[in-house]
Amino acid sequence: MGTSEAELKALMIGSLGGDALAHSLLLRALVPLLQTFYRRRVADADVDDLVQDTLIAVHTRRETFDRDRPFTAWLYAIARYRAIDHYRRRRQTVAIEDVETILVAEGFEDAANARMDVDTLLLTLSPKQARAIRDTHVDGKSVAEAAAGAGIGESDVKVSVHRGLRALSARIKGSSR
């Protein structure tokens, strides 16, 4: 069973705070994640070396981690750079059939991170506003479909979306200053 994003982030924050046990547990928890990541991208013979390189990079670059961002996004960015460096060192190219698989995997990680960011933002709103925004802007439902699903009027959905987006905009602008 894997370690969750929240657990990994907590271990990383503990590590940044000087907790040697948290740092050790973090590095151990990353091994299976990184092995899976690299097995999809490189020859099995190179996986262990790349995992070790990435663990060293996580250790040496840990101060670059932004505590307000998902830990796995930071981790996989490092891992992607290690994989690219690996391909460059070997002057290796990827078969055209494999490009789609790599892009789909990369897109999945990016989409998962974006989804976590959206979910986190929506939690700051009232349930009614969050549902209206999720239904219309994330899930692509029409205002009529969102209203029917929530058992409220269409104008109520429109007002909830408008107020929720305005609140999110203010929150985002406030956090970027």
Side-chain angles (χ1 to χ4, degrees), residues 84-94:
I84 290 166
D85 288 345
H86 172 77
Y87 288 132
R88 283 187 187 137
R89 276 194 309 272
R90 297 183 182 273
R91 292 194 164 97
Q92 184 176 352
T93 57
V94 177

Side-chain angles (χ1 to χ4, degrees), residues 32-44 47 76 80 83 87 94 98-99 101-109:
L33 292 175
L34 293 169
Q35 287 173 331
T36 301
F37 178 87
Y38 287 122
R39 280 192 187 116
R40 288 188 253 144
R41 291 164 176 81
V42 300
D44 282 343
V47 168
Y76 288 127
R80 278 191 293 275
Y87 288 132
V94 177
D98 295 337
V99 170
T101 305
I102 291 170
L103 291 176
V104 167
E106 299 298 332
F108 172 77
E109 289 159 7

Side-chain angles (χ1 to χ4, degrees), residues 38-109:
Y38 287 122
R39 280 192 187 116
R40 288 188 253 144
R41 291 164 176 81
V42 300
D44 282 343
D46 300 322
V47 168
D48 288 337
D49 288 341
L50 283 167
V51 168
Q52 289 300 322
D53 286 348
T54 307
L55 292 176
I56 291 168
V58 165
H59 173 76
T60 59
R61 302 198 62 221
R62 66 187 178 272
E63 295 301 325
T64 66
F65 173 65
D66 180 350
R67 296 167 191 246
D68 296 329
R69 306 291 304 159
F71 173 77
T72 52
W74 180 79
L75 172 69
Y76 288 127
I78 292 172
R80 278 191 293 275
Y81 286 118
R82 292 286 171 231
I84 290 166
D85 288 345
H86 172 77
Y87 288 132
R88 283 187 187 137
R89 276 194 309 272
R90 297 183 182 273
R91 292 194 164 97
Q92 184 176 352
T93 57
V94 177
I96 194 69
E97 304 84 43
D98 295 337
V99 170
E100 183 179 356
T101 305
I102 291 170
L103 291 176
V104 167
E106 299 298 332
F108 172 77
E109 289 159 7

Side-chain angles (χ1 to χ4, degrees), residues 2-24:
T3 308
S4 73
E5 167 70 28
E7 292 168 322
L8 291 171
K9 189 172 184 174
L11 288 172
M12 181 61 169
I13 290 170
S15 173
L16 289 171
D19 183 341
L21 178 60
H23 188 67
S24 176

